[in-house]
C-alpha cells in the first residue's frame, strides 16, 4: 500500500490544497476562524520542515497525505483531525496530482519553447546552407538546412499546442467530491477551486475521484514529444556517422569506445531515442490500468503516479539535453553539398522545367526525365553533369535553356 517513496514530491501541492480547504472550512463556519488560522500556520511550518529534510518518511504511514496530517495533529493536537472534514483521500490525491501536473506541463511548455528557439537560431544561421532532402532515406531534392530544422520547430509547436489543450480541458477541481458522493457539509467548492487556480469544480463527484484522463493526456503528450525528439535524435545519429559527416558532435554529448580510441559515439542522442520506448510504455501501462475499472475509485489508480512522474521528469531532461546539443552542434556544409552530387537530385526540377518551358504534360515529362536519368547512369554521371547533346538524344524539344535554369 505504501506510496510515500514516490508521492512525497506532491507535498507542496498537498499543503496548498489543504490550506485552501481549511480556509474554506473556516469561511463556511464549519471550523472557527481561530482553528482555521492555527491549521494554516501549522501547515506552513510543516512545508518548511519537509523542504529542509526534517520530516522522516515511513512506509507505515503509506503516503504524503497521511504524513502531513499526522504531523499536523502532532503540532496542533486534535484540532488537526478536523482538517479532513468534508474531504477524502480520493479527492485529495486527485487534486494534488492535478495541481502538480499543471505546473509540470507549464515547465515542459517552456522547455519546448527553448528548444524551438535554439532550432530557429541554428536555422537563421543556415538560411543558405544547401543539403539533400530525403524520402525513404534516399536523396530526393535539394533543400536548405534551415528548411529542415524548421520542420522540427513546427513539430514541437504542435506539442506546445497539445500542452495548452491539456491545461484548458482538465483545469477543473476534484476537491469537494470527497470519497465519491460529495459531502453533507455546506462547503463552497467554487471557493477552493478559485483559490487553487482552477476554472471551476468538476461537475460530477464520481467523475471527480475516478477521472485519470488528465494523466493519460499528459502521458500521451510526453509520447508525442518523445516521438519528435527520437526522430531528431535518429538524424543526429545518422548525420554524425562516417556515411554522412553532416555534423560534428561536441565532446559533452558523445563518448569514446573502451577499446577503439577513434570512436565518437552519439550517446546522448541514442539515449533520448532509447528512452522513447519507456515513455510509450508508461502510457500503455496507465491506459491498461484504467481500461476496466468500475466507478468510482479503486486502488489500482495508485499505479498512476510512477509512470506519470517518470515520464514528466524524463521528458524535461531530454528537452534540456536536446536544446544544449543542438546549440553546440556544428554543421559541415561541404559534406552536405557533396551528397547533393549523388542520387540525381535535380530530376524533379528537370521534369518541372519540361512542363513549364515546353508545356509537356507532367506524366510525359516524368517519363522523359526517367530516360535522362537512365542515360546519366549509363554514362556514370549525375543528371546535372549531362550536356545539351545528351538531353537532345532523349528529346529533341529540350534546348540549352535547361542547362541555364
Amino acid at each position: 500500500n505504501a506510496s510515500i517513496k514516490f508521492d512525497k514530491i506532491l507535498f507542496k501541492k498537498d499543503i496548498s490544497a489543504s490550506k485552501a480547504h481549511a480556509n474554506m472550512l473556516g469561511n463556511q463556519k464549519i471550523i472557527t476562524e481561530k482553528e482555521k488560522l492555527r491549521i494554516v500556520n501549522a501547515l506552513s511550518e510543516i512545508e518548511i520542515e519537509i523542504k529542509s529534510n526534517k520530516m522522516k518518511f515511513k512506509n507505515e504511514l503509506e503516503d504524503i497525505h497521511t504524513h502531513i496530517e499526522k504531523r499536523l495533529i502532532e503540532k496542533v493536537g486534535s484540532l488537526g483531525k478536523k482538517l479532513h472534514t468534508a474531504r477524502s483521500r480520493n479527492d485529495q490525491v486527485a487534486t494534488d496530482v492535478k495541481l502538480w501536473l499543471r505546473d509540470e506541463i507549464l515547465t515542459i511548455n517552456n522547455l519546448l519553447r527553448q528548444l524551438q528557439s535554439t532550432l530557429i537560431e541554428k536555422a537563421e544561421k543556415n538560411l543558405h546552407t544547401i543539403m539533400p532532402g530525403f524520402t525513404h532515406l534516399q536523396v530526393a531534392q535539394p533543400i536548405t538546412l534551415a528548411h529542415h530544422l524548421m520542420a522540427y520547430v513546427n513539430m514541437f509547436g504542435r506539442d506546445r499546442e497539445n500542452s495548452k489543450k491539456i491545461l484548458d480541458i482538465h483545469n477543473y477541481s476534484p476537491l469537494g467530491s470527497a470519497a465519491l458522493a460529495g459531502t453533507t457539509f455546506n462547503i463552497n467548492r467554487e471557493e477552493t477551486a478559485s483559490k487553487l487556480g482552477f476554472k471551476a469544480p468538476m461537475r460530477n463527484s464520481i467523475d471527480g475521484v475516478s477521472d485519470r484522463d488528465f494523466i493519460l493526456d499528459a502521458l500521451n503528450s510526453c509520447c508525442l514529444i518523445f516521438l519528435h525528439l527520437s526522430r531528431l535524435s535518429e538524424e543526429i545519429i545518422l548525420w554524425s556517422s562516417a556515411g554522412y559527416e553532416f555534423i560534428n558532435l561536441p565532446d559533452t554529448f558523445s563518448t569514446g569506445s573502451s577499446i577503439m580510441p577513434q570512436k565518437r559515439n552519439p550517446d546522448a542522442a541514442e539515449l533520448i531515442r532509447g528512452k522513447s520506448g519507456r515513455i510509450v510504455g508508461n502510457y500503455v501501462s496507465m491506459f491498461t490500468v484504467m481500461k476496466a475499472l468500475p466507478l468510482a475509485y479503486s486502488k489500482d489508480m495508485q499505479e498512476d503516479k510512477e509512470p506519470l512522474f517518470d515520464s514528466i521528469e524524463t521528458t524535461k531532461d531530454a528537452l534540456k539535453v536536446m536544446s544544449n546539443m543542438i546549440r553546440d552542434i556544428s554543421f559541415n556544409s561541404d559534406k552536405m553539398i557533396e551528397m547533393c552530387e549523388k542520387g540525381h537530385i535535380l530530376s524533379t526540377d528537370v521534369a518541372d522545367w519540361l512542363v513549364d518551358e515546353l508545356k509537356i504534360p507532367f506524366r510525359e515529362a516524368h517519363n522523359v526525365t526517367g530516360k535522362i536519368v537512365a542515360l546519366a547512369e549509363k554514362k556514370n554521371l549525375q543528371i546535372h553533369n549531362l550536356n545539351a547533346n545528351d538531353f537532345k538524344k532523349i528529346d529533341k524539344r529540350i534546348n540549352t535553356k535547361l542547362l541555364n535554369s
Side-chain angles (χ1 to χ4, degrees), residues 100-158:
W100 178 86
L101 186 55
R102 190 172 64 195
D103 287 352
E104 294 299 315
I105 288 173
L106 289 172
T107 298
I108 287 174
N109 188 59
N110 287 334
L111 290 171
L112 284 165
R113 184 175 61 222
Q114 180 181 323
L115 177 53
Q116 282 182 299
S117 297
T118 305
L119 286 163
I120 290 170
E121 190 175 314
K122 282 290 184 184
E124 287 175 339
K125 293 177 181 177
N126 290 279
L127 292 172
H128 305 291
T129 302
I130 303 300
M131 68 171 289
F134 299 89
T135 62
H136 308 278
L137 210 55
Q138 303 292 315
V139 171
Q141 291 180 275
I143 59 173
T144 64
L145 176 56
H147 191 175
H148 193 99
L149 293 176
M150 289 303 292
Y152 286 103
V153 173
N154 280 267
M155 291 182 206
F156 294 124
R158 289 194 295 274

Side-chain angles (χ1 to χ4, degrees), residues 198-392:
F198 292 109
K199 291 194 288 188
M202 292 188 72
R203 297 182 182 92
N204 184 284
S205 61
I206 299 174
D207 187 42
V209 297
S210 64
D211 169 48
R212 293 298 183 271
D213 289 356
F214 63 100
I215 291 178
L216 287 169
D217 282 349
L219 290 173
N220 182 57
S221 176
C222 290
C223 286
L224 287 170
I225 291 170
F226 254 93
L227 173 71
H228 301 145
L229 286 172
S230 185
R231 295 183 75 179
L232 181 51
S233 295
E234 174 69 9
E235 297 206 305
I236 289 170
I237 293 162
L238 286 172
W239 291 358
S240 65
S241 70
Y244 286 79
E245 296 183 276
F246 283 5
I247 62 174
N248 295 314
L249 275 176
D251 291 338
T252 45
F253 297 101
S254 57
T255 60
S257 163
S258 61
I259 65 169
M260 295 172 284
Q262 85 282 9
K263 294 296 292 298
R264 200 176 211 175
N265 301 322
D267 282 6
E270 288 176 346
L271 283 168
I272 291 173
R273 183 180 62 180
K275 288 180 185 297
S276 64
R278 192 168 95 199
I279 301 305
V280 173
N282 284 340
Y283 175 66
V284 173
S285 171
M286 188 58 200
F287 209 103
T288 305
V289 167
M290 294 302 299
K291 70 175 180 61
L293 291 186
L295 297 176
Y297 180 83
S298 297
K299 194 67 172 181
D300 311 50
M301 291 184 187
Q302 184 170 291
E303 291 297 308
D304 62 356
K305 295 170 195 63
E306 287 180 283
L308 176 64
F309 296 163
D310 178 58
S311 288
I312 293 294
E313 197 62 32
T314 305
T315 300
K316 290 191 298 183
D317 287 345
L319 287 169
K320 292 173 188 174
V321 169
M322 184 59 79
S323 287
N324 291 329
M325 187 159 49
I326 294 295
R327 181 197 64 206
D328 293 346
I329 279 175
S330 59
F331 292 93
N332 301 322
S333 57
D334 291 345
K335 290 293 183 179
M336 294 179 177
I337 288 291
E338 186 180 312
M339 191 172 282
C340 285
E341 294 291 331
K342 302 175 182 178
H344 308 288
I345 199 168
L346 295 178
S347 297
T348 304
D349 298 88
V350 170
D352 288 346
W353 183 90
L354 293 172
V355 172
D356 186 48
E357 185 70 24
L358 302 183
K359 310 306 178 187
I360 298 175
F362 182 79
R363 282 299 169 203
E364 183 182 345
H366 186 279
N367 184 52
V368 170
T369 305
K371 292 177 181 178
I372 295 171
V373 169
L375 175 62
E377 289 179 342
K378 185 177 181 180
K379 300 184 74 168
N380 200 26
L381 295 172
Q382 289 295 303
I383 190 172
H384 55 274
N385 297 131
L386 295 174
N387 59 41
N389 289 331
D390 292 324
F391 287 113
K392 282 188 175 294

